[in-house]
Amino acid sequence: MAASQPTQARARKLRTEIERHNDQYYVRDAPLVSDAEYDLLFRELQQLERDYPELAGPDSPTQRVGAAPLPQFEQVTHRVPMLSLGNAFSEEEVTAFDRRVRDALGTDGVAYLAEPKFDGLAISLTYARGLFTQGATRGDGYTGEDVTPNLRTIKNIPLRLKGRAVPELLEVRGEVLMYRRDFEQMNLRQRARGEKEFVNPRNAAAGSLRQLDSRITAQRPLRFFAYAIGVIEGAALPETHAELENWLQSLGLPVCAERRVVSGVQGLMQFYGDVGARRAELPYAIDGVVYKVNSLAAQEQLGYVARAPRFAVAHKYPAEEAATEVQAIEVQVGRTGALTPVARLKPVFVGGVTVTNATLHNLDQVRAKDVRAGDSVIVRRAGDVIPEVARVLLERRAPGAPEFSMPAKCPECGSKVERLKSEAVYRCTGGLFCPAQRKQALLHFASRRAMDIEGLGEKLVDQLVEGGIVRTPADLYLLGAGNLAGLERMAEKSAANVIAAIEKSKKSSLARFFFALGIYHVGEEIAKVLARHFGTLQCLLDADWAALSAEKDRVQKENTRRRNKDEALLDAILPGVGPEIIQSVASFLSQPHNREVIEQLRASGALIDRQIEPPSKTAGKLHDKTFVLTGALRGLSRDQAKALIEAQGGKVAGSVSSKTDYVVAGSEAGSKLARAEELGITVLDEAGLQQLLKGHR
DNA sequence: GATCCTCGAGTTCT
DNA sequence: CTCGAGGATC
């Protein structure tokens, strides 16, 4: 049955009323009615919508109670990346920022919009014709998670934009956060219900936003503030950022009241000081203030550098500090044998978390700060994340406190400790004999960015290594359920999961595999370069490093020459890989032990040898192309070149014909080259082949 | 030889 | 996130 006229009118009235109360409560901070009265209105509307479903719309306030849990979050690609801001910590850095801006714009006296920098989570809200359709987290800036149902429950996010002239499409950016007093009340409730409390408002907001069950999110006192836009279609932009924010406000979006247009370094510093003085009174946590060039045209002109806009900067307040005691200075052994001194601290709450450890990096740092066991120290979280010892309270030092010194023997395995050349770090020389290094090597092998073996964490690795069950990565692939039975926290289910994860990791890529080996100096990036260059594991194993080095030098010299003449450059061989890295890889591969492990890995199927990286980008690039190799190549053997070509879907034939697409000619090329020229076939030199293999045309 | 930039390694806590 | 080292560039 359709709703009668008066019922429709009543529903409309209720909706307007409820939104007005939401606005009063969450935006103006001045509720007009009690919670009970509000509930009454809300329930009445819910009932009406249940009776007459056609009255319910996507913008009804009843949509804010949350929906059934999602199985998982979907990925969302941001059409305009959500970049982070550069930081400034001092007046000098602010001055430098202002100077860069003025120089780039060629003007004096630039106006800035200054506002607080919320300590929350950046999100993006999409409104299509004024209706809220999608919300996403920032993620890595390029891809985030679709948390629309959760954002729908945030009371001060409008489900429909106000006014007649709403844009066709508008992506609003801002911050989700929790007011401090809301956070405290919520924690009281959590405690009363025996549920886990949150350590700080930021974590609480993050945890709430990541709830798969939006009905839980609906119970959390989250708020939103808008401060920028991403995509906009069907509306003209105002001229300044200040006007933009006013406009957002007129659309019904909450915008922070603490904003001001200022100019000059003096104006910026004044704002910084004013907000800083009132920081503790603000209802939300901030970690600094943001300055944005006010003119949007100028913003566009300034553009972006790397991952940050050039027209804005975050001016941070000093990190919160706290006093505590150094209970001991211990030495940790890393994957490469690096010995890192770590201060074990009496637990102290600072910057929103309880800190118990702080790295001291290396001996130079310990000496520079003169930290000793038993000292009273000031601790802070560098960049508000990594704990660090800021300084020692020397006046409280016990007399005769011994200075810290690096142990001469590795605390884990007793091997000799060395300090190489001018390196800052000391290293354990035990190599894989050292259990600590072996554990770290295994953890690295299994890590997310390497072979991505889920479930193979520190606890398990400790047990596997100490029990002598696993010694090398190759041993992982020999594990059966029987090996894991009886280990701590390894019941049937977990064991099966780990085994399955190990099995799954066999389908990894060559680049990940090279990275997983843990060769010194070979990180993710260099591993990719190596994988791209060699194409197969066998080619890497067979590489003639001396020849490769020589060839690399030759290309580099040639390029230097060409650069001076403004000629087209050759593709560099192994870009980013210099003598040190080549030396490191060659030396790794020259050790029989490492070769053995690689062979075992191969035998157990840890990597299908002909696999190339990245398959999505290069697969079939040379599909249906026929190559003929002739003459001697420098950096590659004939087999290597063949494997590289085949890895990308190409074919290598024995003789030149009209069906041949490319002839690759090395030195002392013979009749095949002559025939190729007769037939007018493209002739490549080695660099040309590399270029083709890398996919640059 | 100096300088800028990128990458690797180590680290914390939830 | 920060530091230091290695590589590229001028």
Side-chain angles (χ1 to χ4, degrees), chain A residues 377-419:
Chain A
V377 291
I378 299 294
V379 174
R380 66 172 170 228
R381 299 217 298 156
D384 277 334
V385 178
I386 312 284
E388 71 170 1
V389 172
R391 60 187 179 277
V392 175
L393 300 173
L394 287 174
E395 65 278 13
R396 290 170 61 180
R397 169 174 291 166
E403 203 176 329
F404 172 79
S405 61
M406 271 296 176
K409 298 222 162 115
C410 170
E412 298 282 338
C413 71
S415 299
K416 209 175 96 191
V417 165
E418 269 183 0
R419 181 182 216 178

Side-chain angles (χ1 to χ4, degrees), chain A residues 4-23:
Chain A
S4 64
Q5 283 278 335
T7 314
Q8 286 181 29
R10 178 64 185 158
R12 262 202 310 277
K13 174 102 196 302
L14 284 169
R15 261 144 67 164
T16 335
E17 273 291 282
I18 292 169
E19 284 300 356
R20 187 163 70 95
H21 291 316
N22 276 344
D23 185 64

Side-chain angles (χ1 to χ4, degrees), chain A residues 255-466:
Chain A
V255 176
C256 175
E258 311 283 332
R259 59 186 197 276
R260 206 189 298 164
V261 175
V262 298
S263 64
V265 174
Q266 217 190 342
L268 297 174
M269 292 308 295
Q270 177 79 41
F271 183 81
Y272 179 78
D274 290 351
V275 173
R278 298 184 24 247
R279 190 177 174 189
E281 302 160 22
L282 296 173
Y284 39 76
I286 62 172
D287 56 358
V289 291
V290 178
Y291 311 138
K292 301 175 205 171
V293 171
N294 199 24
S295 153
L296 296 185
Q299 286 191 4
E300 195 168 337
Q301 190 188 336
L302 284 158
Y304 297 81
V305 59
R307 288 181 50 103
R310 247 190 303 233
F311 56 79
V313 74
H315 190 182
K316 300 287 196 83
Y317 290 110
E320 189 198 330
E321 299 185 329
T324 187
E325 276 165 41
V326 176
Q327 293 175 323
I329 298 179
E330 289 176 10
V331 174
Q332 282 179 2
V333 184
R335 172 166 69 82
T336 61
L339 299 191
T340 310
V342 178
R344 303 285 174 216
L345 304 168
K346 193 170 142 212
V348 59
F349 192 77
V350 54
V353 297
T354 304
V355 169
T356 51
N357 300 308
T359 177
L360 298 168
H361 294 113
N362 56 49
L363 187 63
D364 294 344
Q365 291 275 322
V366 182
R367 289 280 150 77
K369 286 177 179 162
D370 190 20
V371 186
R372 305 185 189 188
D375 275 352
S376 293
V377 291
I378 299 294
V379 174
R380 66 172 170 228
R381 299 217 298 156
D384 277 334
V385 178
I386 312 284
E388 71 170 1
V389 172
R391 60 187 179 277
V392 175
L393 300 173
L394 287 174
E395 65 278 13
R396 290 170 61 180
R397 169 174 291 166
E403 203 176 329
F404 172 79
S405 61
M406 271 296 176
K409 298 222 162 115
C410 170
E412 298 282 338
C413 71
S415 299
K416 209 175 96 191
V417 165
E418 269 183 0
R419 181 182 216 178
L420 286 176
K421 300 178 277 182
S422 49
E423 268 194 342
V425 300
Y426 285 71
R427 288 179 198 280
C428 157
T429 56
L432 291 180
F433 169 73
C434 176
Q437 288 188 56
R438 181 173 299 159
K439 285 176 196 170
Q440 293 295 329
L442 286 166
L443 282 172
H444 172 75
F445 185 86
S447 67
R448 196 169 54 80
R449 313 189 80 107
M451 301 300 273
D452 193 17
I453 304 177
E454 225 180 302
L456 194 70
E458 201 172 335
K459 279 266 151 53
L460 182 55
V461 167
D462 271 2
Q463 296 182 69
L464 290 172
V465 170
E466 267 152 37

Side-chain angles (χ1 to χ4, degrees), chain A residues 509-530:
Chain A
S509 71
L510 193 62
R512 279 169 172 268
F513 183 77
F514 286 169
F515 175 54
L517 290 175
I519 302 169
Y520 191 42
H521 288 320
V522 179
E524 234 181 329
E525 212 47 41
I526 302 295
K528 267 186 212 153
V529 172
L530 292 175

Side-chain angles (χ1 to χ4, degrees), chain A residues 564-578:
Chain A
N564 292 335
K565 295 196 179 173
D566 235 19
E567 291 177 45
L569 299 183
L570 298 173
D571 260 18
I573 295 183
L574 292 173
V577 181

Side-chain angles (χ1 to χ4, degrees), chain A residues 33-49:
Chain A
V33 292
S34 71
D35 287 1
E37 289 170 284
Y38 176 88
D39 267 3
L40 221 54
L41 295 173
F42 197 87
R43 295 229 177 111
E44 188 186 343
L45 180 61
Q46 270 185 319
Q47 190 57 51
L48 276 181
E49 290 184 354

